[in-house]
């Protein structure tokens, strides 16, 4: 397929996983439906499963959420993670595909990136190359709640607070959602929600879709004279409709896609009384000091990072003139104008403070195991091409013997990227353990024990810190805690018994060195 001959489409997808951490957790179920740009389905839905790999322990809360026990027959007989990754990668890489989900930008998309990274597939290209893009219906719903509140019935939770949970949005608006946390059911509900939003205000829908192009995002943010713009984000308080007016400092480092922006709810002038070190101290303030006399928002540095390539909801300043928007944002437009003028007048001094604060709070991160190090840098081109060629040949192999020989060729390759030898060894160990030599096999067994049964082994003896993702002792303790947690239904807590039996069996298997 080529960009020129492939019509644009949406690929709505969802994942059910072993837990909520994209670094450590793994997809168990993938579902997708491709639609045309009018949101009408093209072809048949896909539903794929993968068995959990032996180095990942499912979290009991994830089991209670999805209803998928790790030894469920549908998983036990499923494909390997590598084959699932390959199938998904090819699907999402079709030219002119916009990958869409509900909360996918913050959960499913990072989960896919780490899935592809662990399985030696390009983790980023499907998001931007060949006319591809991404979009999040949850972010669209949040924007509609502020800008077009008549579009939907907006539910509240048991505490009377607004909620954007897919299941509750579906119920409040008569949308089909038969089995929440089943991947295909979630996909179908997301498509119905997208249609409802589009039909309620087609102009706003197209405006939000425009943010798939980072050049359009830059046009809104990088205003002449550092002018204001409206930004909607889950990182902003719900009491102000998760929105505020911002002004941009522009590009502040080598990352061309990042902008640091001032929240214009706050007067910048008092912050000039503080030096760069004090700015740095308050940049990541999560909770105010116990003896704080001022509100948390007044103590925390009112600066937010916005990334041009993450489909942010950013809109021109005149959006504030829409009926009721300023009231729902609980802002005084006169004060916003005054703060914007102060920002323009003192821009150079404010930017100097910011640059000084960034110099103190941004630096090298400590080294992490290869599988956790996706964001440590891009893979060199030569290595990337070799992995692409290796996968190209792997897809044509028909026998396990040929696959083992092909895996040994990969293990023998000299990579430029220092992360890749360990990444490749883990990949082979999970999928073709027969290809490992004795030393590599022993390293893998030791890694499982060190990671899953901390304290049971004295490590490698070379000072290597392989990290602890999720281990048996902590999960047994979590089972005990969740058993008394009334937040979960009796039916959900009933899964803890079979989950615990599975966990006990896995611990015995690891202790005996037999893997699964």
């Amino acid at each position: 397929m080529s960009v020129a001959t492939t019509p644009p489409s949406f690929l709505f997808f969802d994942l059910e996983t072993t837990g909520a951490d994209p670094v450590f957790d793994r997809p168990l179920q993938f579902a997708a439906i491709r639609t045309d740009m009018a949101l009408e389905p093209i072809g048949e839905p896909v539903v794929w499963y993968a068995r959990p790999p032996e180095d990942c322990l499912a979290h009991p809360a994830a089991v209670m959420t999805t209803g998928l026990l790790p030894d469920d027959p549908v998983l036990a007989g499923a494909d390997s993670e590598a084959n699932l990754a390959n199938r998904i990668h090819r699907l999402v890489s079709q030219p002119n595909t916009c990958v869409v989900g509900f909360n996918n930008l913050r959960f499913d998309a990072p989960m896919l990136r780490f899935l592809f990274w662990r399985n030696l597939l390009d983790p980023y290209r499907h998001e931007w190359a060949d006319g591809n893009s991404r979009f999040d219906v949850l972010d669209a719903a949040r924007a509609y709640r502020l800008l077009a509140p008549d579009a939907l019935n907006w539910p509240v939770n048991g505490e009377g607070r607004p909620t954007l949970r897919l299941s509750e949005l579906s119920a409040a608006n008569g949308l089909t959602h038969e089995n929440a946390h089943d991947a295909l059911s979630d996909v179908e509900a997301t498509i119905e929600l997208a249609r409802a939003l589009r039909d309620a205000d087609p102009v706003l829908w197209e405006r939000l879709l425009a943010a798939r192009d980072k050049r359009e995002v830059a046009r809104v943010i990088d205003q002449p004279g550092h002018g204001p713009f409206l930004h909607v984000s889950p990182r902003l308080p719900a009491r102000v409709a998760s929105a505020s007016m911002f002004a941009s400092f522009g590009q502040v480092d080598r990352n061309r896609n990042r902008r640091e922006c001032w929240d214009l709810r706050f007067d910048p002038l008092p912050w000039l009384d503080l030096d760069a070190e004090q700015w740095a101290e308050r940049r990541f303030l999560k909770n105010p000091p116990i003896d704080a006399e001022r509100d948390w928002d007044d103590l925390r540095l009112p600066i937010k990072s916005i990334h041009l390539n993450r489909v942010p909801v950013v809109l021109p300043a005149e959006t504030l003139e829409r009926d009721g928007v300023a009231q729902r944002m609980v802002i005084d437009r006169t004060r916003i104008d005054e703060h914007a003028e102060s920002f323009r007048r003192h821009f150079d001094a404010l930017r100097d403070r910011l640059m000084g604060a960034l110099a103190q709070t941004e630096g090298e991160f400590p080294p992490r195991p290869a599988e956790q190090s996706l964001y440590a840098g891009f893979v060199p081109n030569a290595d990337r091409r070799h992995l692409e060629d290796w996968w190209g040949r792997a897809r044509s192999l028909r026998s396990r013997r040929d696959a083992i020989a092909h895996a040994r060729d990969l293990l023998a390759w000299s990579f430029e990227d220092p992360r890749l030898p360990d990444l490749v060894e883990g990949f082979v160990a999970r999928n073709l353990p027969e290809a490992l030599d004795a030393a590599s096999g022993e390293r893998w067994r030791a890694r499982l024990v060190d990671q899953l049964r901390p304290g049971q082994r004295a490590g490698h003896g070379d000072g290597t810190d392989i990290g602890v993702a999720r281990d048996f002792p902590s999960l047994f303790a979590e089972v005990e805690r969740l058993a008394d947690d009334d937040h979960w239904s009796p039916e959900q807590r009933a899964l803890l018994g079979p989950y615990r039996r599975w966990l006990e069996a896995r611990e015995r298997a690891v202790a005996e060195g037999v893997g699964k």
Side-chain angles (χ1 to χ4, degrees):
M1 292 184 176
S2 70
V3 177
T5 60
T6 305
S9 64
F10 292 117
L11 183 73
F12 287 82
F13 85 104
D14 187 60
L15 298 171
E16 301 302 336
T17 65
T18 60
D21 190 329
V23 177
F24 296 124
D25 283 302
R26 313 297 170 87
L28 298 176
Q29 182 191 27
F30 171 89
I33 296 175
R34 191 177 294 276
T35 76
D36 59 22
M37 300 307 285
L39 301 177
E40 295 301 324
I42 303 171
E44 296 298 317
V46 298
V47 181
W48 297 327
Y49 292 90
R51 59 184 180 270
E54 61 180 336
D55 60 326
C56 178
L57 301 175
H59 196 282
V63 170
M64 291 195 294
T65 298
T66 65
L68 275 175
L69 285 158
D71 57 354
D72 189 299
V74 74
L75 298 180
D79 220 338
S80 67
E81 185 189 70
N83 285 338
L84 177 69
N86 176 46
R87 296 171 81 182
I88 296 174
H89 197 266
R90 301 186 81 178
L91 186 69
V92 299
S93 298
Q94 177 177 310
N96 294 323
T97 293
C98 176
V99 177
V100 191
F102 191 87
N103 197 34
N104 58 301
L105 292 180
R106 293 169 190 83
F107 178 75
D108 303 88
M111 193 71 71
L112 282 187
R113 282 191 219 114
F114 276 96
L115 170 69
F116 296 153
W117 169 248
R118 280 191 307 275
N119 291 282
L120 313 180
L121 295 158
D122 192 310
Y124 299 113
R125 183 175 172 81
H126 69 283
E127 297 179 347
W128 61 270
D130 298 329
N132 286 11
S133 59
R134 47 195 185 137
F135 190 68
D136 195 327
V137 176
L138 173 58
D139 287 346
R142 188 177 291 107
Y144 268 77
R145 187 172 63 181
L146 169 65
L147 302 170
D150 294 335
L152 295 177
N153 297 317
W154 302 102
V156 295
N157 61 21
E159 299 175 350
R161 297 177 181 175
T163 177
L164 289 174
R165 292 174 63 89
L166 181 59
S167 58
E168 299 197 28
L169 280 170
S170 298
N173 291 278
L175 307 179
T176 303
H177 196 190
E178 297 177 352
N179 188 9
H181 298 295
D182 171 79
L184 184 58
S185 181
D186 287 350
V187 168
E188 292 169 338
T190 301
I191 294 173
E192 284 203 44
L193 178 58
R195 289 184 186 132
L197 295 173
R198 178 205 58 190
D199 293 347
D201 191 332
V203 174
L204 179 57
W205 177 255
E206 292 300 325
R207 186 69 191 82
L208 296 174
L209 283 177
R212 295 177 297 156
D213 184 341
K214 66 182 182 180
R215 294 169 297 183
E216 176 62 19
V217 177
R219 187 188 68 78
V220 175
I221 292 179
D222 296 333
Q223 291 288 315
H226 318 296
F229 61 92
L230 190 150
H231 176 42
V232 184
S233 167
R235 294 187 179 275
L236 296 170
R239 67 177 183 273
V240 296
S242 302
S244 188
M245 302 298 292
F246 283 84
S248 175
F249 283 102
Q251 183 178 335
V252 296
D253 57 16
R254 290 178 295 177
N255 186 346
R256 293 177 294 176
N257 291 318
R258 170 182 161 191
R259 299 291 186 271
E260 294 295 329
C261 302
W262 185 271
D263 187 338
L264 292 171
R265 289 179 295 156
F266 303 97
D267 186 354
L269 288 181
W271 287 88
L272 288 176
D273 295 332
L274 305 180
D275 60 25
E277 183 175 353
Q278 292 170 306
W279 277 42
E281 290 172 352
R282 298 187 182 189
R283 186 181 177 208
F284 297 116
L285 183 67
K286 294 184 182 297
N287 296 297
I290 295 175
D291 58 350
E293 297 180 357
R294 290 189 293 169
D295 184 78
W296 172 82
D297 276 341
D298 290 330
L299 288 163
R300 180 179 170 273
L301 183 64
I303 288 178
K304 184 179 184 297
S305 298
I306 300 177
H307 292 81
L308 307 183
N309 59 344
R310 296 184 186 176
V311 204
V313 176
V314 293
L315 298 158
E318 54 265 27
T319 308
L320 197 60
E321 298 172 7
R322 290 178 70 135
D323 186 37
V325 170
Q327 289 80 5
R328 287 187 287 276
M329 292 172 61
V330 197
I331 60 172
D332 183 329
R333 294 177 62 178
T334 300
R335 291 188 65 193
I336 293 292
D337 291 341
E338 291 171 352
H339 296 167
E341 180 58 32
S342 293
F343 182 82
R344 282 189 290 266
R345 188 180 306 119
H346 300 282
F347 177 82
D348 291 339
L350 292 165
R351 183 180 168 87
D352 286 345
R353 294 285 200 287
L354 172 62
M355 299 305 289
L358 294 178
Q360 296 183 46
T361 57
E362 298 193 352
E364 295 295 324
F365 291 97
R368 307 182 74 181
E371 289 170 5
Q372 303 172 29
S373 300
L374 167 60
Y375 299 130
F378 294 110
V379 171
N381 287 334
D383 290 344
R384 178 178 53 79
R385 286 192 293 268
H386 181 71
L387 293 175
E388 289 173 354
D389 290 344
W390 184 88
W391 260 112
R393 292 194 298 274
R395 293 182 183 111
S396 66
L397 300 176
R398 293 293 178 265
S399 74
R400 191 166 183 87
R401 184 175 67 178
D402 289 344
I404 291 170
H406 194 45
R408 286 176 175 158
D409 289 342
L410 184 64
L411 288 165
W413 188 265
S414 295
F415 290 100
E416 180 182 342
D417 192 318
R419 299 169 293 177
L420 289 180
D422 285 346
L423 196 67
V424 166
E425 187 172 278
F427 169 78
V428 173
R430 287 186 204 90
N431 297 286
L432 292 163
E434 310 97 303
L436 297 177
D437 61 24
S440 298
E442 177 56 31
R443 279 195 300 272
W444 177 250
R445 307 304 333 157
R447 169 181 167 172
L448 288 180
V449 174
D450 286 347
Q451 178 174 304
L452 304 180
R453 305 182 74 229
Q456 300 298 308
R457 187 176 176 281
H460 300 296
D462 60 358
T464 302
D465 177 12
I466 64 165
V468 175
R470 185 176 294 152
D471 56 57
F472 292 111
S474 65
L475 290 181
F476 281 121
E478 189 68 3
V479 169
E480 297 302 316
R481 186 189 71 79
L482 290 170
D484 297 322
D485 187 345
D486 292 337
H487 168 75
W488 302 91
S489 70
E491 293 80 10
Q492 289 173 313
R493 282 182 284 168
L495 294 169
L496 291 175
Y499 171 82
R500 183 182 181 91
R501 291 192 289 274
W502 169 82
L503 196 63
E504 290 169 344
R506 285 291 299 121
E507 185 176 34
R508 288 194 299 271
V510 172
E512 294 165 3
V514 297
K516 296 181 181 178

